[in-house]
Structures are given as C-alpha cells and as structure tokens.
C-alpha cells in the first residue's frame, strides 16, 4: 500500500522523525467522460495504477450548463448549452461508479469529488453578437461530499441555486391575476350564452380576451417559477466573492473540504460557440474564508505560491488571528486528455492508515505536500520543527509551542533512476521560508539530510515555516505545507 516509509534504514538520517507516517503518492483533480474528460473512470484508474499512484480523487464538474434568456421571458425563451457533468450523469450513478471501482481495485483508494462552477455572468449583447460569458473558469474543488443530495444541492447558477423567498418573490406571482382574469372572462362567456339578450360580439370579445389573458398568465407563471428570488444569477454582472463564499459555506456544512482550483488561469475559449473569458482571481483567495486550501500547481506559482505571495499573506493573517483556520496547498493535475501525464502533478499524503477519512483528515490538517514535473523524482522524507530541549516535533500541519529557538530537520532523497533522465544530474535548491520570507537556501545535487538551527525566538508570536524546492525547470518543484 505505502509508497515507502518516511523512515528508511538505508537513508543517511541521524534520527527517524516520521516513522509513524507513510508517504502516499496521489493525484487530485481528475476528469473522466462523466464530465469533460476523454477517458472513462476505469481507464483513468488503470493509468494511474500503472504510474504508481495509490490514491486518485475524481473531480468531474458538478454541472456544465449555461443559459441565456431573452427578457421579459428569461426563464422560457432561452438558449441553453449543456455538456456532460455529474448532475447530468446522475449524482447517485457517479457515487456508485466510484465505489464500484474501489471494490474492483482494492489496492487503490479511489474517491469522488466535484469541480464546482458556482457562478458565471453575461456581458455584451446577444443581438449585437458581442455576448461573452465571464468568470466561467473560477472553480472550487469540493471533496468529502457523501450523498447524492449533497451533490444535487451544490449551489451554482448552472444548477438553479440558490434562491430564497422574499417580498420580491410575492410580486413574481403577478401572472396569477391574468390567469384568474382569463378564467373569469371565459366563465362569463359561458354564463351569457344562456341570456337571450346578450350581444354575440361581446361574447366573442370575452372569449378572446379570456384566452389571451389565460395564456399570458400561464406563460409568465412558468417563467417566474419557482417564485423565489435568486441570491445571484447570470444577468446582474459580477457578484465578486459572494457566490464562491456561499459554496464554501455549503460544503463546509456538509463536512466536506474546498480547494480553490487553478487561481492564476488566464485564457479565453469557446464552448459550443459561446466565448468564455476568465482572468486570474488570486484576490478572491484573500477575500474568502473557511476554505480548506489552494491548488498550488500548476497554475499557482506566479503570484500565489512564491515566497511573500498571496498564500503567505493568508498564512500571516492566520498567525495574526485574522482567520480561524490556516490554508493548505495541494497539487492538482487537472487531467482531461489522454496524452497528458496523469502523474505530472502529485499530492504526497502523510498517512497512518488507508481509507477515505484519513485522506480527508490529511486535507483538513495539512498532512501533504505538492510536487510537479521532474520533482516527482525527489522525495521529501522529513520536514519537522523540533524543540531540542523537550524533543517535541511538529510535522506539516502541526503547531508546536517553543520555549527556545527551533531546529528545522529536512531530509530529501533522489530517485537513483533519475541519473539517466533527460535532465541529467539532479540539482535543486531548498528554500526555507519563515513568515513569507526566505531565511536560508540549501543547494543540493543528491540526497540531503539537514539540521538547521534558526536564530529566531519571539515569545508570544505565532510563526510558521514551509519549504519550496526548486528544480530549476519552469515552475516545477515541491511546495510543502507549513
């Protein structure tokens, strides 16, 4: 099951710091044919298994439905584009499919999740052919949802949620007056047929007017159903962080976890003839709360992940008491197409046992690190903060009270097979980051065992350490949790 103990007698380690954990290579953020992927779920599991992955978390899209309505009948006269998604496939079918694969491949741990699309909005004009779908790529990974209804009720514009009853909802019932008027006029026509002195033209007028009122009333009742006021919709411009915070709070209430996906995405595309524009949204990370973390690879190392970036600002907010929870990072592969390496980006979990609850607990508590590209040939065997006098240790995700200056222990090993790779000899730098600033850089060309005593002690202050390992190739490397 395990990909190797963090403690290995063949490694040059003075002391085994993490014998209680196993490092488990995993892939998170995977799309199958259930949504917009090219491979079936089972084909993906087989491919991940061949690459040595032990955990795979599917995150097919919750819904991929976009609609544009023509006023005043936006709910009836619509152009709708809908693609495969969890809700189209059926949430119960989705869960059953993943659970069936778990039984078929007992040596793997396969979990279901969703890449939620909480919000989008329209800009431009349909008549002038300038209509553009905005914010279509601001996504949140939701994991840990247990029931079909928890997926079916994920709040999003595409899913028709959320909406509430307000005074405006009461006014949306106005078509009832036309409906009742039409019914009354038609009834009057029936009553006057028996009156000998009734004018036939008036009877025809009542009938025609009644039918028109009745029809218009029915159409607008259908248009206004379910007579609720949306908290946000696609017709009132950007709602900033509100739709995303609403989804975060919903998943949190379902005992799930949420991670912002590809926060630095900056691209335009077309979906069934609709132009979709999305810009980077790193500031949303600073202005939303209680989400579990951020996908740091691959689109997250320009402004979010580097020392002093958005993530460090968020961690400093936590240390200053401005946030109730720390924010962790994962690696997301965002796998869709068959020719893209499914193990290009990995999340390495520190686990004590094999089950989905252990994975979710690791996600909640920061017991993992992210690795991308050729950094997968590196293994971070140990990263702890040690109180030398007491012998107490803090692993990734832990907190420790220090009475004196801390000692940082770092052990990185290099895959021997990597020496023949196209990148040649493995050279890499290890940046030790405290409170958003690099305090020490260690250069290495192979396995390394580091004990570093930091000349830092500030009683009463909460501080954090994290590592960034740079392999010198684009944004590839390792990023740890603090």
């Amino acid at each position: 099951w395990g990909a190797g103990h963090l403690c290995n007698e063949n490694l040059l380690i003075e002391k085994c710091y993490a014998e209680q954990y196993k490092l488990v290579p995993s892939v998170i953020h995977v799309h199958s044919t259930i949504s917009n992927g090219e491979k079936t779920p089972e084909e993906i599991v087989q491919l991940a298994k061949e690459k040595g992955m032990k955990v795979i978390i599917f995150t097919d899209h919750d819904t991929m439905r976009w609609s544009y309505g023509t006023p005043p009948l936006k709910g009836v006269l619509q152009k709708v584009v809908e693609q495969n998604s969890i809700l189209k496939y059926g949430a119960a079918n989705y869960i059953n499919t993943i659970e069936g694969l778990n039984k078929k491949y007992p040596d793997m741990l396969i979990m279901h999740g969703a890449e939620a699309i909480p919000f989008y909005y329209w800009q431009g004009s349909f008549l002038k052919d300038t209509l553009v779908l905005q914010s279509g790529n601001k996504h949140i990974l939701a994991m840990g949802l247990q029931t079909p209804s928890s997926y079916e009720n994920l709040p999003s514009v595409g899913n028709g949620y959320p909406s509430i009853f307000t005074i405006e909802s009461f006014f949306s019932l106005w078509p009832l007056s036309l409906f009742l008027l039409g019914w009354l006029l038609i009834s009057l026509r029936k009553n006057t047929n028996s009156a000998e002195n009734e004018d036939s033209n008036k009877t025809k007028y009542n009938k025609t007017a009644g039918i028109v009122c009745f029809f218009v009333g029915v159409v607008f009742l259908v248009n206004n159903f379910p007579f609720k006021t949306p908290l946000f919709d696609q017709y009132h411009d950007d709602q900033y962080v509100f739709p995303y915070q609403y989804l975060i709070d919903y998943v949190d209430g379902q005992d799930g976890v949420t991670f912002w996906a590809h926060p630095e995405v900056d691209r335009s595309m077309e979906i069934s003839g609709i132009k979709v524009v999305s810009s980077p949204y790193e500031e949303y990370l600073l202005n939303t709360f209680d989400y579990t973390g951020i996908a740091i690879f691959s689109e997250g190392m320009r402004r979010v992940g580097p020392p002093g970036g958005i993530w460090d600002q968020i961690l400093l907010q936590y240390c200053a008491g401005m946030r109730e929870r720390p924010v962790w990072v994962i690696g997301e592969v965002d796998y869709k197409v068959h020719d893209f390496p499914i193990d290009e980006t990995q999340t390495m979990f520190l686990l004590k046992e094999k089950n989905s609850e252990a994975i979710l607990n690791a996600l909640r508590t920061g017991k993992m690190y992210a690795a991308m590209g050729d950094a997968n040939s590196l293994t971070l065997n140990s990263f702890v903060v040690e109180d030398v006098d007491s012998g107490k240790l803090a692993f990734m995700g832990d907190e420790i009270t220090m009475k004196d200056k801390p000692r940082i222990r770092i052990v990185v090993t290099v895959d021997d097979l990597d020496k023949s790779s196209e990148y040649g000899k493995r050279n890499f730098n290890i940046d030790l980051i405290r409170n958003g600033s690099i305090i020490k850089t260690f250069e290495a060309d192979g396995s390394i065992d580091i004990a570093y005593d930091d000349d830092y002690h500030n009683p009463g202050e909460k501080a954090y350490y994290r590592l960034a390992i740079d392999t010198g190739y684009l944004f590839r490397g390792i990023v740890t949790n603090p």
Side-chain angles (χ1 to χ4, degrees), residues 48 64 95 150 158 170 178 193 199 223 258 268 362 370 439 445 477:
M64 297 190 73
I95 293 174
S150 63
F170 175 78
L178 283 178
N193 277 344
D199 182 77
N223 181 76
T258 49
S268 299
I439 61 171
D445 59 5

Side-chain angles (χ1 to χ4, degrees), residues 276-344:
V276 179
V277 173
S278 188
S279 302
Y281 45 92
E282 312 95 88
E283 74 278 6
Y284 282 46
L285 313 183
L286 286 165
N287 294 294
T288 49
F289 295 84
D290 295 329
Y291 59 92
T292 315
I294 308 164
I296 207 73
F297 287 133
S298 58
E299 293 162 325
M301 288 305 295
R302 293 177 178 85
R303 293 170 294 274
V304 176
I310 298 293
W311 184 35
D312 280 318
Q313 295 175 45
I314 294 169
L315 291 174
L316 287 171
Q317 288 178 347
Y318 170 70
C319 289
M322 299 168 62
R323 288 178 179 264
E324 293 184 4
R325 309 176 189 176
V327 168
W328 315 116
V329 296
I330 58 171
E332 61 171 351
V333 66
D334 201 358
Y335 181 82
K336 296 185 182 74
V337 297
H338 68 277
D339 56 351
F340 185 84
I342 195 169
D343 60 341
E344 173 76 359

Side-chain angles (χ1 to χ4, degrees), residues 43-57:
E43 288 173 334
I44 291 173
V45 171
Q46 292 171 345
L47 180 60
K49 183 177 180 180
E50 291 173 1
K51 295 293 185 177
M53 300 298 100
K54 299 297 182 180
V55 176
I56 180 169
I57 303 180

Side-chain angles (χ1 to χ4, degrees), residues 150-450:
S150 63
Y151 283 100
E152 293 162 355
N153 294 320
L154 273 169
S156 71
V157 171
N159 196 23
Y161 287 89
S163 55
I164 58 174
F165 286 109
T166 64
I167 188 65
E168 185 178 336
S169 306
F170 175 78
F171 287 113
S172 69
L173 292 170
W174 70 263
L176 276 176
S177 60
L178 283 178
F179 179 86
L180 295 173
L181 178 61
W183 187 272
L184 178 63
L185 290 173
I186 294 173
S187 299
L188 283 175
R189 177 244 172 187
K190 292 179 180 178
N191 294 334
T192 55
N193 277 344
S194 60
E196 296 180 358
N197 59 346
E198 185 64 45
D199 182 77
S200 61
N201 288 333
K202 184 178 180 180
T203 300
K204 292 179 181 179
Y205 173 80
N206 285 342
K207 177 183 178 182
T208 302
I211 292 173
V212 170
C213 289
F214 188 84
F215 177 76
V216 172
V218 168
V219 169
F220 275 92
L221 280 173
V222 172
N223 181 76
N224 294 352
F225 183 81
F227 315 114
K228 292 182 179 181
T229 303
L231 295 180
F232 48 84
D233 62 25
Q234 63 268 52
Y235 304 113
H236 292 87
D237 296 324
D238 193 4
Q239 301 297 304
Y240 196 45
V241 300
F242 176 62
Y244 308 95
Q245 187 66 63
Y246 197 92
L247 183 136
I248 290 167
D249 293 343
Y250 169 82
V251 176
D252 193 44
Q254 298 289 317
D255 294 324
V257 296
T258 49
F259 285 79
W260 280 98
H262 44 68
E264 295 179 1
V265 63
D266 187 9
R267 61 175 179 265
S268 299
M269 65 183 75
E270 281 199 3
I271 300 177
S272 299
I274 299 175
K275 186 177 181 182
V276 179
V277 173
S278 188
S279 302
Y281 45 92
E282 312 95 88
E283 74 278 6
Y284 282 46
L285 313 183
L286 286 165
N287 294 294
T288 49
F289 295 84
D290 295 329
Y291 59 92
T292 315
I294 308 164
I296 207 73
F297 287 133
S298 58
E299 293 162 325
M301 288 305 295
R302 293 177 178 85
R303 293 170 294 274
V304 176
I310 298 293
W311 184 35
D312 280 318
Q313 295 175 45
I314 294 169
L315 291 174
L316 287 171
Q317 288 178 347
Y318 170 70
C319 289
M322 299 168 62
R323 288 178 179 264
E324 293 184 4
R325 309 176 189 176
V327 168
W328 315 116
V329 296
I330 58 171
E332 61 171 351
V333 66
D334 201 358
Y335 181 82
K336 296 185 182 74
V337 297
H338 68 277
D339 56 351
F340 185 84
I342 195 169
D343 60 341
E344 173 76 359
T345 301
Q346 298 179 24
T347 297
M348 300 292 289
F349 285 108
L350 279 67
L351 297 181
K352 295 181 180 180
E353 53 187 340
K354 173 191 175 182
N355 57 56
S356 59
E357 187 53 43
I359 291 290
L360 291 173
N361 185 61
L363 289 169
R364 292 187 185 101
T365 59
K367 293 291 189 294
M368 64 274 178
Y369 70 81
M372 183 180 178
D374 56 321
N376 292 332
S377 64
L378 307 179
T379 300
L380 178 63
N381 294 83
S382 182
F383 169 45
V384 297
V385 174
E386 178 184 8
D387 186 328
V388 178
D389 291 337
S390 68
K392 292 181 179 179
L393 304 174
F395 300 90
M396 285 182 288
D398 291 342
E399 294 191 3
I400 184 172
T401 300
M402 304 290 298
K403 294 184 178 180
D404 202 347
K405 299 174 183 178
R407 173 171 293 171
I408 316 299
R409 294 302 304 252
I410 305 166
V411 178
V412 178
T413 57
V414 178
D415 186 349
D416 290 337
L417 297 176
D418 184 69
K419 295 177 180 179
S420 61
S421 75
E422 59 182 297
Y423 303 106
K425 191 175 183 179
R426 177 58 65 239
N427 295 298
F428 56 94
N429 294 330
I430 303 174
D431 290 330
L432 176 60
I433 300 165
R434 186 211 317 126
N435 292 353
S437 298
I438 300 174
I439 61 171
K440 182 70 175 178
T441 297
F442 306 95
E443 297 181 356
D445 59 5
S447 299
I448 188 170
D449 184 350
I450 299 167

